[in-house]
Amino acid sequence: MHCPFCRHPDSRVVDSRTTDDGTSIRRRRQCPDCSRRFTTVETCSLMVVKRSGVTEPFSRTKVINGVRKACQGRPVTEDALAQLGQRVEEAVRATGSAELTTHDVGLAILGPLQELDLVAYLRFASVYRAFDSLEDFEAAITELRQDTRSPAADDDDAGTGREGNDRGSGATAEVSVPAHAAD
């Protein structure tokens, strides 16, 4: 690190601290030549490679805005969206890769969104996975039903007419698709 005062090519780290949000490190440095002190901030850049090949910095705001569209009309708060954005960013940073594809970011969104709201998950997944038929939706709904059912819940609801849908969150919904729609 060059000294900004005398341009000496080296410096000594006096103190290091992470920032409040944990995404960067603030270092206090001292020049061995002129003895003046200065501060540097180190951040790890996370780049996203789009389908067109263009590379741009990861943006938590873009993630939240994309998910917000899928959550329109759903009982999802701004706080919940902010937490989802944070979880997605933590997940993609935890990969340790400096560059990710939009596909990787989409995969990181699907898990937390499924926990947040199943309808919003289906909306997002239908665009992300490019659903083009009712069969795609049926397969996704079947997969969701299998994921949300546990053996204990099915035993508790035996004979009550409920099929494991009362989970306390009200997030699971029964969807009927006419038999002729699959033709």
Side-chain angles (χ1 to χ4, degrees):
M1 175 62 61
H2 289 280
C3 173
F5 305 108
C6 71
R7 303 301 299 160
H8 185 73
D10 199 13
S11 64
R12 182 174 67 91
V13 175
V14 178
D15 184 38
S16 292
R17 296 182 186 180
T18 59
T19 57
D20 291 336
D21 62 1
T23 59
S24 58
I25 298 175
R26 183 178 176 270
R27 297 196 195 276
R28 195 72 180 133
R29 297 178 177 269
Q30 183 172 9
C31 176
D33 195 40
C34 69
S35 298
R36 294 183 74 179
R37 291 184 175 197
F38 57 98
T39 302
T40 59
V41 179
E42 297 175 18
T43 59
C44 177
S45 63
L46 182 60
M47 302 301 284
V48 178
V49 180
K50 300 176 91 171
R51 288 184 198 139
S52 65
V54 174
T55 303
E56 66 180 38
F58 175 83
S59 170
R60 186 188 301 188
T61 304
K62 285 184 104 173
V63 168
I64 292 170
N65 289 338
V67 172
R68 183 179 287 121
K69 291 175 187 174
C71 293
Q72 275 184 325
R74 301 297 305 154
V76 176
T77 65
E78 285 298 314
D79 286 343
L81 288 175
Q83 288 176 350
L84 181 136
Q86 181 178 352
R87 286 180 62 190
V88 169
E89 184 172 356
E90 288 170 357
V92 295
R93 287 194 184 279
T95 65
S97 178
E99 281 191 354
L100 299 164
T101 64
T102 53
H103 179 77
D104 296 331
V105 176
L107 286 176
I109 292 171
L110 286 175
L113 185 56
Q114 182 178 349
E115 294 172 17
L116 182 64
D117 187 274
L118 291 177
V119 173
Y121 167 82
L122 279 173
R123 289 175 178 171
F124 188 87
S126 71
V127 174
Y128 173 70
R129 293 183 180 168
F131 288 3
D132 58 1
S133 68
L134 286 175
E135 288 79 19
D136 294 337
F137 280 96
E138 288 174 340
I141 291 169
T142 301
E143 184 180 313
L144 284 173
R145 284 186 179 145
Q146 291 171 350
D147 288 348
T148 58
R149 285 194 183 161
S150 66
D154 289 341
D155 291 343
D156 290 346
D157 294 336
T160 63
R162 297 182 308 181
E163 296 184 10
N165 290 338
D166 189 12
R167 294 272 182 259
S169 67
T172 306
E174 288 288 329
V175 177
S176 298
V177 177
H180 68 298
D183 295 340

